[in-house]
Amino acid sequence: MHTRTVHIRFRLAAACLWTAVSLAAQPQSAEPDSVRLRDIPEVTVTGRNNPESRSTAPLQVVTTDDLGRLNALQVSDAVKHFSGVAVKDYGGVGGLKTVSVRSLGANHTTVNYDGVAVSDVQTGQIDIGRFSLDDVESVSLVNGQSDDIFRPARSFASASVLDIHSRRPVFEHGKRIGGKAFLRGGSFDLLNPSLTLNGKITSWLTSSVSGEYLYTRGNYPFKYRYGNSEGDSVAVLQRQNTDVRNLRLEAALYATPSEQEEASLKAYYYHSERGLPGNVTYYNPQQNTNQRTWDHTFFTQGHYRRQWSHQWSLQASGKYHRSSMRYLDAEYLGSTGVQDNTYSQQEYYGSVSALYRPWSSFSLSASADGFINTMQSDLAGFAEPTRYSLLSVLAAKYANNWLLATASVLNTLVHERVEHGDAPARHCRFSPYASLSFKPFGAHDLRLRMFYKEIFRLPTFNDLYYTNVGNTNLKPETTRQYNVGLTYTDRWGKYIPHVHLTADLYYNSVDNKIVALPSKKDIFLWSMVNYGKVAISGMDLTGEWRIRPTDRIGLLLGASYTYQRALNVTDPTDPYTYRHQIPYTPRVSGSARGGVETPWVNLSYSLVWSGHRYTFTQNYPANRLEGYQDHSLSLSRVFLLSFGKLSASIEALNLGGENYQVVRGFPMPGRSWRATVGLTF
């Protein structure tokens, strides 16, 4: 990076910080980042008083109550309802599911689990299908950056952040033991039992232990058309090699020794064995494949937070993560006739943050994160890289009843070494961010918001070191995000107690996009290069209405809509790809949900839909993948017992029975059902 560019960015960030300091000189009432530890964190939602309306960057949240209305089994099912989000789904319960926000790609989204990032330095993509919703309190997604500046530096280091928050144990007066048990069953031999036990050890120390097992054969039928014309014959086939076995175990301790401090310690284990269904093609309609993967993930993480005074707060986190993956292809077409490889990763992570609040309306924070990532493989001559990363952030926030402003500067230092081959160059980058939310009318909660963020993503270990493909000379992808929007929250009389509407216009620019290109001499040899430049512009709309026609009946209506043009603007002289929509990005997409709550039964409806997409960079008819609609319906009821609550629900999924494809060649399940029985005690 040129010195002049660094100076310009420093001046921009310094100007934002100085503006916030100047505003802070005016004494105003405000909502502080944290008054006491018993206060609800900014990303948590209770009732309808949530931070979505005053957020300076687009923030979307679903809570425990919302999750029950979305026909959601995994976190990926809930995320599909967020505007501007594309979940790339390879089919079925066990298929890989990654999230891309505003067409930036899964590598640009950080996934946090209870405040600590989940990492995969090999691919940079987190499979959000592995996170169950049984013990989840809320799922939130922010484009850009959270207004909560008292966070680890890693939460500042991506274009968007998906936060998954577990439910902490809560005990009624006099109770010391509680928990819940669920049993799900459904189509394609789905079996999914789970159990959570909570214990109150002392007045300030609680514990939680949970486990979940999931099995499905996943052998759903699908329609296969032999050609693209209307009169072509159609066959009904069955998905093969789709069995899944998942086991998840978690244990946690939560401590609140005083009103000024809290701590937590969590251990997590996940094991998965699954088949990899093949790509359905004209020449392989039976998907003859014998590929399997085994995944093992373990991590333990701890968190401590203390408020030393009204002005000073401190928090620290630590984590050890280890994962391994075995990939087996028993029908490998190479000389060995079989491919059987193992990859393993480790991460050592530590974070410390300080918050200083000189006035009630103004706060400053400083965060520093350090982590070490390693990777090993049984491949001959594998590089065995080790990456050392240090992230540091300075941030400021000003808030009163009509104005909210934040600014930050992130510094990233990365160094790598390898056991074999050449290591890439060191990276030192500064990334500024600034945001603003303004309420022009005192009587109405209508707010104008805007933000700018510059961020980058480093090449993954696969990008750098994958055999015969990796390129250690790759530069990071650089992304510039611009957003301007409106939020409106109000109460429309007695019968409509809550209305929340948002509208956002955005523009993203990606430089040095990392892509895989085939060799000009040999189509079987590919290489990773900094080739692409992408310009993304779009609009997100969301709406939610709560209607209360009587005291005993409630209605919920919600919808989201996204329009985006994600264009390849790499080479103006290339008529075949220039200003064509990038692969797997629909021009229009959206979701809707509705619910009726009565004393007798609850009815919920959800819809996810997408327009057509293209599977390659050339927007030709042959590369067109048709759009789809997925409708689901559920009935549920809760029975109050003397010792707890018994819940029962039945869900009809994909009512239209459409075998649509999110990824070409990977048909989704058609019409299916799922039933759940749960006991909370």
Side-chain angles (χ1 to χ4, degrees), residues 346-478:
Q346 292 189 83
E347 179 176 277
Y348 306 87
Y349 170 80
S351 172
V352 61
S353 306
L355 178 72
Y356 174 59
R357 190 171 48 253
W359 303 283
S360 61
S361 57
F362 181 68
S363 54
L364 295 166
S365 73
S367 302
D369 292 13
F371 44 101
I372 302 173
N373 297 94
T374 66
M375 183 176 173
Q376 295 82 34
S377 175
D378 57 1
L379 290 169
F382 185 70
E384 296 191 8
T386 300
R387 176 176 289 178
Y388 303 89
S389 304
L390 176 63
L391 307 178
S392 53
V393 173
L394 292 175
K397 176 180 177 179
Y398 175 80
N400 61 25
N401 293 329
W402 56 274
L403 179 67
L404 175 61
T406 70
S408 66
V409 177
L410 167 71
N411 176 245
T412 304
L413 292 172
V414 177
H415 170 67
E416 290 186 26
R417 65 176 180 84
V418 296
E419 297 295 330
H420 307 282
D422 299 324
R426 297 184 181 184
H427 297 284
C428 178
R429 298 283 293 270
F430 290 91
S431 304
Y433 174 83
S435 67
L436 179 73
S437 174
F438 176 71
K439 181 182 177 183
F441 308 111
H444 301 280
D445 194 6
L446 174 69
R447 297 175 187 266
L448 171 68
R449 64 185 179 190
M450 59 190 71
F451 81 81
Y452 167 78
K453 183 169 188 175
E454 180 178 319
I455 200 63
F456 68 98
R457 76 103 171 166
L458 288 169
T460 66
F461 281 172
N462 276 0
D463 294 337
L464 295 169
Y465 308 113
Y466 198 84
T467 306
N468 298 325
V469 175
N471 178 4
T472 57
N473 294 319
L474 288 174
K475 300 176 182 178
E477 287 185 3
T478 299

Side-chain angles (χ1 to χ4, degrees), residues 304-571:
Y304 175 78
R305 178 173 174 176
R306 180 179 175 88
Q307 182 176 322
W308 295 98
S309 66
H310 179 72
Q311 291 183 318
W312 284 99
S313 297
L314 180 72
Q315 65 178 355
S317 301
K319 180 177 182 178
Y320 170 73
H321 174 104
R322 180 180 180 86
S323 63
S324 64
M325 188 270 285
R326 179 192 173 196
Y327 169 78
L328 172 65
D329 184 358
E331 299 177 354
Y332 179 59
L333 299 179
S335 59
T336 59
V338 63
Q339 185 176 4
D340 190 353
N341 297 120
T342 301
Y343 305 86
S344 61
Q345 303 179 49
Q346 292 189 83
E347 179 176 277
Y348 306 87
Y349 170 80
S351 172
V352 61
S353 306
L355 178 72
Y356 174 59
R357 190 171 48 253
W359 303 283
S360 61
S361 57
F362 181 68
S363 54
L364 295 166
S365 73
S367 302
D369 292 13
F371 44 101
I372 302 173
N373 297 94
T374 66
M375 183 176 173
Q376 295 82 34
S377 175
D378 57 1
L379 290 169
F382 185 70
E384 296 191 8
T386 300
R387 176 176 289 178
Y388 303 89
S389 304
L390 176 63
L391 307 178
S392 53
V393 173
L394 292 175
K397 176 180 177 179
Y398 175 80
N400 61 25
N401 293 329
W402 56 274
L403 179 67
L404 175 61
T406 70
S408 66
V409 177
L410 167 71
N411 176 245
T412 304
L413 292 172
V414 177
H415 170 67
E416 290 186 26
R417 65 176 180 84
V418 296
E419 297 295 330
H420 307 282
D422 299 324
R426 297 184 181 184
H427 297 284
C428 178
R429 298 283 293 270
F430 290 91
S431 304
Y433 174 83
S435 67
L436 179 73
S437 174
F438 176 71
K439 181 182 177 183
F441 308 111
H444 301 280
D445 194 6
L446 174 69
R447 297 175 187 266
L448 171 68
R449 64 185 179 190
M450 59 190 71
F451 81 81
Y452 167 78
K453 183 169 188 175
E454 180 178 319
I455 200 63
F456 68 98
R457 76 103 171 166
L458 288 169
T460 66
F461 281 172
N462 276 0
D463 294 337
L464 295 169
Y465 308 113
Y466 198 84
T467 306
N468 298 325
V469 175
N471 178 4
T472 57
N473 294 319
L474 288 174
K475 300 176 182 178
E477 287 185 3
T478 299
T479 300
R480 295 174 181 86
Q481 300 171 267
Y482 306 83
N483 187 97
V484 59
L486 291 170
T487 68
Y488 172 75
T489 304
D490 207 345
R491 175 188 179 96
W492 290 355
K494 175 182 177 182
Y495 301 110
I496 307 179
H498 174 77
V499 177
H500 179 64
L501 307 173
T502 70
D504 287 277
L505 299 175
Y506 60 88
Y507 176 77
N508 300 329
S509 174
V510 183
D511 295 327
N512 292 324
K513 188 169 181 61
I514 300 171
V515 297
L517 291 180
S519 168
K520 295 182 179 180
K521 297 181 179 180
D522 189 343
I523 63 173
F524 296 101
L525 293 179
W526 292 64
S527 60
M528 307 303 298
V529 298
N530 288 113
Y531 176 80
K533 181 179 177 64
V534 177
I536 305 164
S537 57
M539 173 179 64
D540 289 338
L541 303 175
T542 69
E544 182 179 271
W545 299 263
R546 285 186 174 269
I547 306 171
R548 182 66 66 176
T550 70
D551 292 337
R552 306 185 69 189
I553 297 177
L555 303 177
L556 171 68
L557 300 175
S560 68
Y561 172 83
T562 294
Y563 173 85
Q564 60 181 337
R565 290 171 59 87
L567 305 180
N568 181 353
V569 292
T570 302
D571 185 2

Side-chain angles (χ1 to χ4, degrees), residues 596-641:
V596 181
E597 299 174 348
T598 73
W600 313 280
V601 67
N602 296 331
L603 173 66
S604 297
Y605 164 80
S606 64
L607 163 69
V608 176
W609 64 275
S610 172
H612 69 267
R613 294 138 291 146
Y614 293 94
T615 57
F616 292 99
T617 54
Q618 300 92 350
N619 292 176
Y620 298 155
N623 298 332
R624 179 180 169 122
L625 190 62
E626 294 302 321
Y628 61 86
Q629 298 179 17
D630 189 326
H631 305 261
S632 297
L633 193 67
S634 68
L635 289 171
S636 64
R637 181 170 180 180
V638 175
F639 303 88
L640 298 180
L641 307 176

